[in-house]
Amino acid sequence: MNFCSHCGARVATLTPPGDHLPRFVCESCGTIHYQNPKLIVGCVPEYAGQILLCRRAIEPRLGYWTVPAGFMENGETLQQAAARESREEALADVEILSLLSVVHVIHAHQVHVFFRARLREPSFGPAPESLEVKLVPHAAIPWGELAFPSTEFTLRRYLEDLASGSDAHHFTEFDRRLQAGRVKP
Ligand SMILES: [Zn+2]
């Protein structure tokens, strides 16, 4: 951030009194612009033993496969966001079921939340954000062509739980800064 969204003056990066992290602080009106993680919400829509996957038509990871997911909007619940993303990306009507996974993507300042879901009818198709949408048998999931680590983590836990008859939820975290051998700031 370079300029204040309230008054347009330049912002400085400093730790306000009583705070413990550097923030963008407006040098003119004094507004502190906090930046917090964003929520990405999605689901694993199942129909007759198959999973609905979308091939991304947009960056990042254009051409790779994922489950329907996207940024949560103000004024909606996690479940509403997951159902809306299925409509928007796959033209699919889903019933959101139990919580499946919570993935902290530390380096991207995001939290990804996925639910189990049921496709109400086998009606779906590609919306502008998707090149292709299809129902994939469990054995045919394109593991090498999945868009994000959170997609893979979520689908693997989903299938494991299905095999063991469990309805658990799972937490994990990814931090590319650590994988790259760099030190956390
Ligand atoms: Zn300002």
Side-chain angles (χ1 to χ4, degrees):
M1 177 177 247
N2 291 314
F3 298 100
C4 176
S5 56
H6 283 261
C7 75
R10 187 166 283 280
V11 296
T13 303
L14 54 90
T15 303
D19 205 341
H20 64 289
L21 289 172
R23 312 286 182 185
F24 292 119
V25 180
C26 178
E27 296 177 306
S28 176
C29 75
T31 300
I32 302 171
H33 298 276
Y34 295 97
Q35 297 201 319
N36 303 101
K38 292 203 182 308
L39 271 170
I40 311 290
V41 191
C43 66
V44 179
E46 170 108 20
Y47 187 87
Q50 301 180 89
I51 293 171
L52 193 70
L53 294 183
C54 308
R55 204 152 72 85
R56 292 172 61 82
I58 52 173
E59 294 287 359
R61 303 294 278 164
L62 191 154
Y64 287 82
W65 291 93
T66 182
V67 293
F71 288 101
M72 187 178 185
E73 300 285 2
N74 292 338
E76 64 185 1
T77 65
L78 289 166
Q79 290 92 330
Q80 287 166 346
R84 177 182 51 74
E85 289 294 341
S86 292
R87 283 195 304 277
E88 289 181 358
E89 293 186 355
L91 310 177
D93 180 20
V94 300
E95 178 189 1
I96 300 298
L97 305 173
S98 57
L99 177 63
L100 170 59
S101 65
V102 177
V103 182
H104 302 93
V105 189
I106 305 290
H107 56 270
H109 308 155
Q110 293 175 354
V111 180
H112 298 191
V113 179
F114 293 92
F115 293 86
R116 295 176 184 84
R118 185 180 69 84
L119 192 60
R120 288 197 170 95
E121 37 190 274
S123 167
F124 53 85
E129 289 180 21
S130 306
L131 294 171
E132 187 183 348
V133 177
K134 66 178 181 183
L135 280 171
V136 178
H138 296 163
I141 291 174
W143 294 109
E145 296 167 50
L146 294 179
F148 306 107
S150 65
T151 317
E152 176 173 356
F153 174 82
T154 296
L155 286 172
R156 289 201 185 280
R157 299 296 85 72
Y158 179 82
L159 294 183
E160 287 169 8
D161 284 356
L162 216 56
S164 66
S166 163
D167 200 30
H169 50 264
H170 307 272
F171 291 86
T172 193
E173 64 179 74
F174 295 108
D175 192 345
R176 203 177 290 151
R177 296 173 307 181
L178 295 179
Q179 288 165 13
R182 273 174 266 147
V183 179
K184 271 188 175 178

